[in-house]
Amino acid sequence: MKKILIIEDEKNLARFIELELTYEGYATEVCSDGRSGLNKALTENWDVILLDLMLPELNGMEVCRRIRQVKNTPVLMITARDSVLDRVSGLDSGADDYLIKPFAIEELLARLRALFRRLDAIETPGSQKMTVLTYKDLILEVESHIVKKGEEILGLTKREYDLLSMFMSNINIVLTRDVLLNKIWGYESEVETNVIDVYVRYLRNKLDPSGSDVYIETVRGIGYVMR
């Protein structure tokens, strides 16, 4: 049974969605504010999160960003704000889809089915799901060693790929140069730690040629981190 978290402060709408999804065979739970919804999203496993944009305590955009820092759970944003800017902002914050209120329940169900089909499509022939790491607009497919920035596939060397994989597997954790050197080059390596700085510079240039360093943050005297 698919588990769906509903984060919606309009009680009547939340109850209506809950009843319809339960009737369709989904297991559901409702949170009525952003902070409790975020806590529930991060502490339990969900197949999809339905997320309202305008929420008390913590707005839906911020909830989505914080979920994306640690989880890849599909997020379907539900909101009455229908401008192009609002839709773009919602998708850029990490949402997988965007549904405008008022909506027909049939459309919501269809979008859920489409999300589940996309998840099923990344299964390998051995019936194992591909491991995917995400950060902002970066997607790293572990088994295929493919890295995408949006729809663009990035050409990374093995060292650059390994370095990026380390960062994306340890979001918000500061990785020292020694740790990176040992994990990527190995404990027996005689390479100096300053090689890490060189490869981080190479990687930054490929992730963002403008040189704005929006992906990998330097922690002076310690190492690097993706926040």
Side-chain angles (χ1 to χ4, degrees):
M1 183 180 291
K2 302 286 189 184
K3 288 179 60 181
I4 298 178
L5 176 63
I6 304 165
I7 308 176
E8 169 63 67
D9 65 324
E10 293 182 35
K11 291 184 178 179
N12 290 339
L13 177 59
R15 181 59 177 161
F16 170 70
I17 295 173
E18 182 183 26
L19 289 173
E20 291 292 332
L21 293 183
T22 301
Y23 179 76
E24 292 293 325
Y26 297 110
T28 63
E29 190 163 340
V30 175
C31 291
S32 58
D33 66 82
R35 199 165 297 281
S36 65
L38 176 63
N39 181 65
K40 185 70 69 171
L42 296 181
T43 57
E44 297 183 28
N45 292 322
W46 305 93
D47 292 291
V48 169
I49 297 171
L50 301 183
L51 177 63
D52 185 25
L53 188 59
M54 303 298 291
L55 291 166
E57 298 194 27
L58 203 62
N59 68 60
M61 210 79 75
E62 184 61 25
V63 171
C64 192
R65 287 194 192 99
R66 296 191 189 185
I67 291 172
R68 278 294 166 262
Q69 288 176 355
V70 293
K71 283 194 168 187
N72 297 319
T73 311
V75 174
L76 200 168
M77 208 167 260
I78 300 174
T79 177
R81 294 168 60 172
D82 61 353
S83 72
V84 172
L85 179 60
D86 288 325
R87 293 199 295 274
V88 169
S89 297
L91 294 170
D92 282 348
S93 71
D96 296 271
D97 202 353
Y98 200 101
L99 186 59
I100 305 298
K101 298 176 183 177
F103 54 84
I105 192 64
E106 289 81 9
E107 182 178 4
L108 172 60
L109 294 172
R111 287 177 184 254
L112 288 174
R113 290 193 295 270
L115 277 175
F116 292 136
R117 280 197 301 273
R118 289 204 289 272
L119 289 175
D120 292 340
I122 64 172
E123 289 186 358
T124 65
S127 297
Q128 304 229 338
K129 286 191 176 180
M130 184 180 294
T131 306
V132 178
L133 304 177
T134 62
Y135 174 76
K136 295 186 177 180
D137 59 346
L138 298 178
I139 299 172
L140 187 149
E141 298 175 357
V142 175
E143 285 80 8
S144 64
H145 278 227
I146 291 175
V147 177
K148 297 178 183 177
K149 182 181 179 183
E151 296 300 317
E152 176 192 4
I153 295 178
L154 301 180
L156 303 184
T157 67
K158 183 181 185 305
R159 297 294 191 198
E160 291 165 350
Y161 171 86
D162 291 342
L163 195 58
L164 181 61
S165 179
M166 277 290 293
F167 287 129
M168 293 180 68
S169 299
N170 294 277
I171 299 297
N172 293 321
I173 298 174
V174 177
L175 300 173
T176 67
R177 290 171 177 83
D178 285 333
V179 166
L180 292 169
L181 188 64
N182 290 334
K183 289 287 188 181
I184 296 171
W185 273 265
Y187 289 95
E188 303 299 322
S189 174
E190 296 181 0
V191 177
E192 297 293 331
T193 55
N194 63 1
V195 77
I196 297 297
D197 302 324
V198 175
Y199 272 87
V200 167
R201 184 167 70 251
Y202 291 159
L203 182 56
R204 280 172 167 166
N205 288 337
K206 290 188 177 180
L207 297 180
D208 187 7
S210 69
S212 57
D213 297 348
V214 296
Y215 296 97
I216 303 170
E217 177 184 333
T218 300
V219 182
R220 290 191 179 277
I222 302 176
Y224 299 94
V225 64
M226 275 185 163
R227 297 193 194 278

